Structures are given as C-alpha cells and as structure tokens.
Amino acid sequence: MVEKIISFSLRNRFIVLLFAAGFFGWGLYSVKTSKIDAIPDLSENQVIVFTEWMGRSPQIIEDQITYPLVTNLQGLPKVNYVRANSMFGMSFIYIIFEDDVDVYWARSRVLERLNSIGNVLPEGVSPTLGPDGTGVGHVLWYTLEAPGMDLGEQRAVQDWYIKFALQNVAGVSEIASFGGFQKQYQISIDPNRLTYYKLSIQDVMQAVKSNNNEAGGRKFEMSGIGYIIKTSGYLKSIEEIENLAVRTQNSIPVKIKDIGTVQMAGESRLGIFDYNGEGEAVGGIVVLRYGENADEVIRKVKTKMTEVAKGLPQGMKFNIVYDRGELIAESISSIKTTLIEEMIVVSLIVIIFLFHWRSAISIIIQIPITIAASFILLNAFDISSNIMSLTGIALAIGVIVDNGIIMAENSYKNLAVRQAELNEQRKGGNADVE
C-alpha cells in the first residue's frame, strides 16, 4: 500500500503539490478561525441547580430543598452522578453528565425534570438553572472606581445599567455582580407596639403585600369615548409604606409608622469584597458561555465597556482587576516564538546534516504544512488553541521531519547501490570490448 502511494506521488507530482497547497490553505484558514484560550477547559460536563430560601439554616435547606431535589433529579439519562451542597439560605446541586453529552441537551433534561417536581418544595421556593458556563468561565473581573459615591449607589448602577449592557455581548453567559449593598425597603417593627395593638408579623406582611399591587379594571364607553380602568398600587416611597393601614381599631387606622419605622437600607450580607486593602468595592464577573472563543469574547466585552463608560455617572470608571486576555496574549506569543525558533533550528540541522538543498527543502516544507494541518483537526474536535495544545505541536516538530529524513536517506542509499551496480556493469562491458 505504501509503495503504491509513493509510486503514485512520484508519477503525479503536480497533483500532490496541488493537494499540499490546498491542505496548507485550509490549515491557514483554520489557524485564523481557531478558538484561542490560555488554558484548556478540563471541567466536567455539569448543570447547576441553584435554590434560594433566605433565612433558613443549612439543616432546613438540606431536609426541605436539597434532599427532595436530589432524589427527583436522579435517574436522568446519561448522568454520571449528582452532587449537592447546602448552606445558609442556599442550595446547590451539581448534575454531572457524560462528557459526550451536549450541554444544552443536558440543561433541557434537567429543566423538564424540575418542571415535573410539583409541590415537593416549600411554597414560594423556585429552583433555577445556573449559567451555561464552565468551571474556567471567569474570563474578566472588573470593579467600579467612583470616589465619593456610596456602595449602594454603585451597586445600583452595576445591577441596573452595566450588567444589562454587558450581558448583551455575544458569548457572555452571565455578569455576576459582587460587593456593595443591594438597596431595599426595611420595616423595623417595635414588638411592644405590636403587642399593644394586638397584631402579628403576618398581619404586617399581609398588609404590605396586599397594598403593593396593581389590579386591572375594564373598558367602558361614555359619550362615545372608550376608557380603560386600572389601579396604580405599587409602593414608590418610604412615606407610602409608612401610611399603610394594617388594621382599623375603633374607626382609627393603625399604620405601619405606628408600630415601627421604615428606612432604605442594604440587604444583609454574608461577606464583603475588599480591593487591595483600600476598602470595599463593587464590580462584576464576566462568565464565558460554553464553547465560545475566550479571546474574541474578551475583546467584545472591552469594546462594550468603552461604550457603557460614556453613560456612567460623572467620576465613575471601570477598573479591570483580572483579564485573561493578557494571559492568552502572553501564552500564545510565547508558544508562537517557541514554534518559530524550533522550525529555524530544525531546518538548519536538516540542511547541515544532509548538505543537499533539494533534499533539505523537501523535508523543511513539511513543517509549516503539517503544523497548519494540525489546526484543522483542532477545529474538527472543537479543541481551543491553548498552551497545552500548542505545546504538543511544538514538541512534535522533531517527529514531523523524521519521516522525511528517513525517506531521503533511504533514497540516497538505494541510488548509491544502483549507481555502484551501473558502474560495475560499465567496467565489465569495457573489459569485454578490450
């Protein structure tokens, strides 16, 4: 078989050269379109189910949320195992699928099972799927520099402006906010007043809930004009909450302000984010979507951040604290330099040892063609160009030229033997003539 291929190649040199040129062009195109990252993604193929039930202890979370979810999520097709973690107010469940399973197919199966769970969980508790990212999906971290602005205002800008803008970038799975205070209205109840008016916490909660709502009306016509009736009942200020009536006693309404105080404050936190020991900071984490090109997504996010910065409050700006793009650039640059150096060194060694430029060129030309062709396989198997895959190519350069050297040496040997035979025949012929 090998002899036939060699024989065919020798007889059809133009076809072989044309095929090699086309292969090389395809390889160059694959180099340009290859996904670039600093490190390979070796994380497991998993789907995360997150459930929040604030104020409950880890044991309650384990008994009423984590255990029912784990038992119902087991038995999904192509699942290796299910892990779970319960903490204060939160439950995390990790469903690990087989490596060859499409991540979005897996998310669909998990979502179908969650929709069929029914009334297993406590009232008001709703599990949600985690982002469609991976364990190495944190590609960029940033904080907001805003001297003189309180942490609550910074977090509001992050949650209601920056986050929504950056999430629209193609390839971004999630913008996870951190730091600062999430603003909320808080009602501080005086227990003595609550007892005096013979009220309970449930009465206060029901009063706030029923008054913070809108109800639809109907359409009616009057004097040939159609009117649509609706009620506007959403609470918009501290004063409106203070004036809500919880109960009426002796024709006198008992209002929220009679039993406690209302204030705007931050949600209780389980931790803080400190930047370089200079104090608390507010920022976000850009999570890469599964299977995306990290280098391209980072560049798009930075471009979007430049646009978003134009609408930030005066004095506020972005401060990038972690950028994998720099690591990617340094890694690829280092590997690229190593590849070029190895190609030059191998070429020189081949030229010196063979000392025949035509044979050396036939061997050296294999190096760029083979390296370019390797990127075709990387794209075919959806493997990113990272420090591991490129290092493997660099290590294989010596192996690439081995076959060419062996073929050249074998050809020289056969030609030398044949030449010696021809010389012997000529000497024998000359002796007969004499």
Side-chain angles (χ1 to χ4, degrees):
M1 182 66 182
V2 176
E3 293 180 356
K4 292 182 179 179
I5 294 175
I6 295 174
S7 178
F8 174 83
S9 300
L10 290 174
R11 290 195 304 267
N12 302 274
R13 298 178 184 178
F14 178 76
I15 296 177
V16 173
L17 292 175
L18 189 64
F19 177 77
F23 216 58
F24 183 64
W26 186 12
L28 292 179
Y29 174 77
S30 300
V31 171
K32 293 182 179 180
T33 58
S34 177
K35 298 177 183 178
I36 302 175
D37 205 342
I39 53 178
D41 186 2
L42 302 177
S43 58
E44 296 175 310
N45 190 3
Q46 67 178 6
V47 177
I48 302 174
V49 178
F50 168 70
T51 311
E52 189 175 23
W53 199 23
M54 297 308 296
R56 273 69 177 184
S57 66
Q59 187 61 49
I60 297 296
I61 295 292
E62 175 73 21
D63 295 341
Q64 299 194 31
I65 293 181
T66 303
Y67 179 76
L69 284 177
V70 169
T71 53
N72 280 275
L73 289 172
Q74 288 180 343
L76 289 172
K78 299 184 178 181
V79 171
N80 286 335
Y81 43 87
V82 180
R83 301 184 188 138
N85 183 24
S86 301
M87 60 181 64
F88 180 77
M90 291 177 286
S91 169
F92 292 90
I93 299 174
Y94 306 90
I95 302 98
I96 313 300
F97 285 83
E98 297 175 1
D99 292 336
D100 60 344
V101 174
D102 179 72
V103 64
Y104 295 104
W105 182 90
R107 292 171 67 87
S108 299
R109 301 288 81 73
V110 174
L111 192 59
E112 288 178 0
R113 184 61 63 87
L114 290 177
N115 290 335
S116 64
I117 287 178
N119 299 323
V120 173
L121 301 179
E123 184 180 358
V125 176
S126 178
T128 58
L129 294 184
D132 52 343
T134 65
V136 293
H138 292 194
V139 295
L140 189 141
W141 288 44
Y142 65 87
T143 60
L144 301 177
E145 290 186 0
M149 182 179 294
D150 66 81
L151 295 173
E153 292 292 336
Q154 293 184 41
R155 182 60 183 262
V157 173
Q158 162 64 24
D159 287 342
W160 301 103
Y161 174 58
I162 298 174
K163 180 177 181 178
F164 295 147
L166 297 183
Q167 275 186 338
N168 290 326
V169 177
V172 174
S173 173
E174 181 188 25
I175 302 295
S177 302
F178 59 80
F181 294 93
Q182 293 180 274
K183 289 187 174 182
Q184 61 179 199
Y185 292 105
Q186 295 182 354
I187 303 175
S188 300
I189 303 296
D190 187 337
N192 296 324
R193 296 184 183 181
L194 203 66
T195 304
Y196 175 78
Y197 288 109
K198 298 180 181 180
L199 297 173
S200 65
I201 295 294
Q202 292 298 326
D203 294 330
V204 179
M205 293 174 60
Q206 183 61 35
V208 175
K209 183 177 180 180
S210 60
N211 284 276
N212 185 35
N213 195 9
E214 288 196 1
R218 62 182 295 272
K219 178 184 176 182
F220 76 97
E221 293 187 5
M222 184 175 64
S223 301
I225 301 176
Y227 296 89
I228 298 177
I229 301 175
K230 72 179 187 69
T231 61
S232 298
Y234 286 125
L235 300 171
K236 300 177 181 178
S237 64
I238 293 177
E239 290 74 17
E240 291 182 359
I241 300 176
E242 289 178 336
N243 292 320
L244 292 180
V246 181
R247 181 181 295 176
T248 302
Q249 295 183 357
N250 299 325
S251 302
I252 300 175
V254 179
K255 301 180 179 180
I256 296 290
K257 62 182 179 181
D258 296 328
I259 57 176
T261 58
V262 183
Q263 60 183 358
M264 175 75 76
E267 185 179 358
S268 59
R269 305 183 298 174
L270 298 178
I272 64 173
F273 181 85
D274 180 86
Y275 179 62
N276 285 343
E278 299 173 357
E280 293 188 50
V282 176
I285 303 171
V286 179
V287 182
L288 181 71
R289 180 169 284 122
Y290 177 84
E292 294 290 337
N293 188 338
D295 184 60
E296 182 180 354
V297 172
I298 292 172
R299 285 189 280 106
K300 290 181 179 179
V301 169
K302 289 182 178 178
T303 303
K304 189 66 175 181
M305 290 173 71
T306 303
E307 299 176 5
V308 172
K310 299 176 182 178
L312 294 177
Q314 188 175 5
M316 178 180 285
K317 62 180 181 179
F318 288 106
N319 175 35
I320 297 178
V321 297
Y322 167 71
D323 180 9
R324 193 188 291 178
E326 297 178 358
L327 179 60
I328 292 172
E330 291 292 334
S331 303
I332 299 301
S333 176
S334 176
I335 295 297
K336 186 188 298 182
T337 303
T338 303
L339 280 172
I340 295 173
E341 291 175 351
E342 286 197 26
M343 290 173 64
I344 294 173
V345 171
V346 170
S347 300
L348 290 175
I349 292 175
V350 170
I351 292 173
I352 292 172
F353 277 85
L354 292 180
F355 214 70
H356 187 264
W357 69 271
R358 292 178 62 184
S359 300
I361 289 177
S362 67
I363 296 171
I364 294 171
I365 200 174
Q366 298 178 40
I367 300 176
I369 296 176
T370 307
I371 292 176
S374 63
F375 283 88
I376 299 175
L377 297 176
L378 289 179
N379 289 358
F381 289 99
D382 198 24
I383 301 173
S384 64
S385 298
N386 53 68
I387 193 170
M388 295 294 290
S389 58
L390 295 182
T391 301
I393 295 175
L395 294 174
I397 288 181
V399 181
I400 291 172
V401 299
D402 283 349
N403 61 335
I405 294 174
I406 293 171
M407 293 294 293
E409 290 288 348
N410 188 49
S411 300
Y412 271 120
K413 182 179 178 181
N414 289 327
L415 289 173
V417 171
R418 182 58 178 164
Q419 186 65 36
E421 292 176 353
L422 291 174
N423 290 336
E424 289 293 332
Q425 291 177 2
R426 289 172 183 172
K427 291 179 180 179
N430 293 334
D432 294 340
V433 171
E434 291 176 357

